[in-house]
Amino acid sequence: MSDFRITLRPALGSAPRPGSRGLSITAMPEGHVVQVLGRPHAPDLFGVLERATGAAHRSVRAAGPGQWFIVGDAPLSRDEFAALSTALQPHATAVDQSHGRVRIRVEGTIVERMLAKGTAVDLDPGAFPVGTSAMTLLGHVSVHLTRIEIAAFEVMVLRGFAESLWEDLVRMSVEFA
Amino acid sequence: MASLISCPHCGARPKEEFTIKGAVLSRPAADAGHQAWTDYVYLRDNPRGTHREYWHHTSGCRRWLVVTRDTVSHEVGFCQDAAAAKLAEVRP
């Protein structure tokens, strides 16, 4: 038995809110992030993933060959995770990463210009349409980028890097304030 | 040094996202002689021209790649997933 009671605190709870007019940076609800690992050269699992996630408010994000993230705003109960995990068998393995990854929403008409300061991925809507994801470096921090709307991106990062990335994002957006 | 690597999974990415893991060599048999293992572990050529290396896309898809690049012109040639490269290899 641990001597300490483990309490979950929001990773970005104390982060100051940026004051830029053209851009908004917001911490997304710490719901759930499930990493899905399949075999890299296996047939496409998107159908299996769609069925496993069902109609619940969850999204599937690609993260490289045979890898996906299933994300949602509501916390996942133990039973829900077990059901999801079972639905993916035997094609893929689900790993609960809800405690380990934090999502940040960056939004604004010039959001690509701001993110282009940190990443080399072509973020033009033609090359990176809504729903596209990419694992990349943002500055020195490894992130998972998804275009969730035409002028909004979700930046998913390891929890320990969240505050540092937040500061980077704020600094990157100062020019547009 | 080559600055843009066209990852077969992610597209063109800067070299900062990758880790270079060295020349593509075939591993000797477990019972190969001392000399063969010394060569494999320690001795490297420093080629002028075309060079095949293992690159790891550390900050991207996390796949191992085989990158062919020119050490003189810095030109990056063929980039392939290492697993695919191994499958394509003709084995005796």
Side-chain angles (χ1 to χ4, degrees):
Chain A
M1 185 76 187
S2 166
D3 290 343
F4 302 98
R5 197 184 142 81
I6 298 168
T7 48
L8 184 65
R9 289 193 207 90
L12 294 165
S14 59
R17 297 191 64 82
S20 320
R21 268 170 285 140
L23 281 162
S24 76
I25 306 169
T26 37
M28 292 177 80
E30 288 185 26
H32 62 271
V33 177
V34 178
Q35 188 169 19
V36 179
L37 299 158
R39 289 189 181 80
H41 299 291
D44 196 12
L45 289 183
F46 204 76
V48 177
L49 286 160
E50 290 274 89
R51 254 175 284 130
T53 48
H57 296 288
R58 292 179 198 151
S59 314
V60 180
R61 315 246 192 265
Q67 294 182 54
W68 295 268
F69 285 108
I70 296 173
V71 301
D73 289 346
L76 205 60
S77 73
R78 186 183 279 257
D79 292 342
E80 282 172 316
F81 176 72
L84 179 63
S85 188
T86 313
L88 290 170
Q89 291 294 343
H91 309 285
T93 307
V95 186
D96 191 1
Q97 286 277 308
S98 310
H99 62 286
R101 286 172 202 257
V102 170
R103 296 180 299 141
I104 301 171
R105 182 187 170 101
V106 278
E107 191 174 8
T109 45
I110 34 136
V111 68
E112 294 104 328
R113 276 177 62 197
M114 180 253 215
L115 289 174
K117 291 182 182 184
T119 179
V121 177
D122 184 359
L123 298 175
D124 185 84
F128 204 86
V130 175
T132 319
S133 296
M135 286 291 292
T136 184
L137 273 185
L138 200 64
H140 291 281
V141 182
S142 193
V143 300
H144 183 257
L145 267 186
T146 306
R147 181 177 230 125
I148 46 178
E149 281 166 35
I150 193 76
F153 285 84
E154 175 194 280
V155 187
M156 183 156 59
V157 67
L158 289 172
R159 190 183 174 91
F161 286 105
E163 224 167 324
S164 168
L165 180 74
W166 182 277
E167 285 166 16
D168 286 352
L169 289 170
V170 169
R171 202 167 307 147
M172 281 153 71
S173 67
V174 163
E175 180 193 343
F176 308 108
Chain B
M1 173 62 73
S3 56
L4 276 179
I5 304 295
S6 28
C7 172
H9 308 296
C10 309
R13 295 294 181 89
K15 72 174 193 326
E16 284 75 12
E17 288 191 5
F18 297 83
T19 313
I20 307 176
K21 296 291 190 175
V24 177
L25 302 172
S26 51
R27 192 181 169 88
D31 56 356
H34 178 74
Q35 195 55 50
W37 274 100
T38 306
D39 284 1
Y40 174 70
V41 176
Y42 298 109
L43 301 181
R44 291 290 176 273
D45 292 333
N46 185 13
R48 181 183 164 83
T50 313
H51 192 27
R52 279 181 91 218
E53 280 173 322
Y54 283 121
W55 284 53
H56 184 233
H57 198 181
T58 321
S59 302
C61 56
R62 304 195 59 84
R63 296 290 301 169
W64 285 74
L65 311 176
V66 173
V67 174
T68 309
R69 67 182 179 95
D70 194 304
T71 56
V72 180
S73 67
H74 303 309
E75 204 177 315
V76 178
F78 192 49
C79 301
Q80 198 181 13
D81 190 286
K86 197 167 182 182
L87 287 175
E89 218 173 75
V90 182
R91 298 203 150 231

